[in-house]
Amino acid sequence: MESNTDNTTLLAMLESMLRIRAYEEKAAALQAQGQAPGTCTAVGQEAVAVGVVQALAADDLILTNHRSAGHLLARGADTGRMLAEVMGKSTGYCKGKSGSLHISAKELGVVLTSTIVGAELSLATGVGLALAMERSAAIAVCFFGDGAACEGAFHESLNLAALWRLPILYVCENNQWQAFVHRREAMAAESVGDWAAAHPMPCASVDGNDAEAVYAAAAAAAAQVRSSRQPYFLEARTYRLRGHYEPDDQHYVDAKELAGWRGRDPIAALQARLLAQGVLSAESLERLHQRVAADIDNGLAFALASPYPAAEELATDVYA
């Protein structure tokens, strides 16, 4: 594939993907060691998070779901504050009160993370309406999975966004799994985009394991939403390589299917492409891995050294 993205952007995307992978593997390891609660990872989906977020403007707003770490880190979240939040420490983004499933970071434009399947779709309508009423140049970006697309909120949200002409970019991370149930067991359609097109709004589909393709598709989609002030639907076809919720041995997953998708690992693919193109050398790639590992280690040290919230803060910041 001939690259249309500048090398600086590609390298930044690779580093972000590596950081997300390392962070989520560390979070899962902490859970296995009893140092952190269980969490939902999105290992294997890094190209979607990074490709889409890389295409956004600084004032755009993000709503996401229980697999949110990639979106937050791609947006610039600090690994130390993220790990502190997961571990219930006061230095976390929500002062240790959200855990891994409800992190919001106003300073990053991440309005909310919701573990309620489809909730971000319902709330995106309100955020999009607010942007329209304020005549803002920003857009709202709503990340959700194929499982959420099977909820009634999916159709309600897209219908109102099309009817009211709201500046929302809907991003479906179709990772083939709805908790412990395969997409084929819960969806009659092969593509979520077929449902979205009926509302109507522009729709596109992209290989969610190709970071550069996701970036190009998201940049085009965001530009159209920004100029038209109307919704757009982007479906990224990817695969979740770890289980639904840590710990999870994935006994319900077809071993051949999983192996096939592991062979399409988005990080390995981008690394190989950049090495083949001479953008990366083996030495520079090793330094990149070392920098990411050091960032995770430093973040963990910060989280471990951070205090838990004081008892008198139990009810503070619970309600706005």
Side-chain angles (χ1 to χ4, degrees):
M1 173 182 173
E2 183 177 349
S3 175
N4 294 313
T5 308
D6 66 272
N7 292 339
T8 300
T9 298
L10 290 172
L11 288 170
M13 290 170 65
L14 176 59
E15 181 168 355
S16 184
M17 291 167 67
L18 287 168
R19 181 172 291 104
I20 293 166
R21 176 72 61 88
Y23 170 89
E24 295 210 299
E25 290 180 341
K26 177 62 69 174
L30 289 171
Q31 190 283 328
Q33 297 161 10
Q35 293 182 274
T39 187
C40 293
T41 68
V43 171
Q45 301 175 212
E46 297 87 357
V48 183
V50 171
V52 172
V53 173
Q54 182 73 35
L56 304 182
D59 59 347
D60 292 336
L61 301 178
I62 294 172
L63 300 94
T64 179
N65 58 20
H66 50 288
R67 303 188 195 281
S68 64
H71 310 135
L72 283 150
L73 290 167
R75 191 63 163 173
D78 177 76
T79 53
R81 292 185 68 188
M82 288 280 289
L83 286 168
E85 186 60 42
V86 171
M87 299 173 76
K89 300 299 187 75
S90 62
T91 54
Y93 275 101
C94 300
K95 302 180 182 178
K97 297 178 181 179
S98 77
S100 66
L101 301 180
H102 294 279
I103 299 176
S104 62
K106 184 177 181 180
E107 61 267 43
L108 300 176
V110 181
V111 178
L112 64 89
T113 294
S114 176
T115 190
I116 306 301
V117 176
E120 69 276 23
L121 284 160
S122 300
L123 295 165
T125 309
V127 174
L129 180 60
L131 292 175
M133 294 175 70
E134 293 170 355
R135 299 186 183 278
S136 171
I139 68 173
V141 182
C142 181
F143 288 97
F144 61 98
D146 47 294
C150 293
E151 298 277 342
F154 169 81
H155 297 283
E156 294 170 2
S157 182
L158 270 66
N159 176 60
L160 286 178
L163 180 65
W164 292 345
R165 299 168 64 93
L166 303 182
I168 303 174
L169 171 56
Y170 292 98
V171 180
C172 178
E173 296 178 280
N174 189 341
N175 66 12
Q176 314 302 313
W177 283 96
Q178 302 177 13
F180 304 102
V181 177
H182 197 283
R183 174 188 56 76
R184 290 189 297 269
E185 299 178 67
M187 288 178 56
E190 282 294 316
S191 170
V192 179
D194 293 341
W195 294 346
H199 281 286
M201 63 182 63
C203 299
S205 180
V206 66
D207 179 356
N209 282 25
D210 184 331
E212 187 174 358
V214 174
Y215 171 62
Q224 183 158 337
V225 176
R226 208 175 304 283
S227 61
S228 69
R229 312 310 296 171
Q230 295 187 56
Y232 191 108
F233 179 88
L234 177 63
E235 181 175 12
R237 304 179 308 280
T238 184
Y239 199 89
R240 169 165 53 79
L241 294 177
R242 291 184 73 97
H244 168 58
Y245 186 81
E246 301 292 336
D248 185 337
D249 63 8
Q250 293 181 283
H251 66 275
Y252 49 89
V253 178
D254 180 86
K256 290 184 178 180
E257 178 179 271
L258 181 58
W261 280 94
R262 285 194 188 283
R264 297 181 54 200
D265 187 305
I267 293 177
L270 184 55
Q271 284 181 164
R273 183 183 301 173
L274 295 179
L275 286 167
Q277 294 172 348
V279 177
L280 267 177
S281 65
E283 293 77 14
S284 60
L285 179 59
E286 178 61 25
R287 289 194 297 270
L288 185 57
H289 278 267
Q290 291 173 353
R291 184 161 68 244
V292 167
D295 179 54
I296 299 299
D297 288 343
N298 292 336
L300 179 58
F302 170 82
L304 289 171
S306 295
Y308 288 102
E312 55 267 25
E313 295 180 15
L314 178 64
T316 59
D317 300 315
V318 175
Y319 297 101

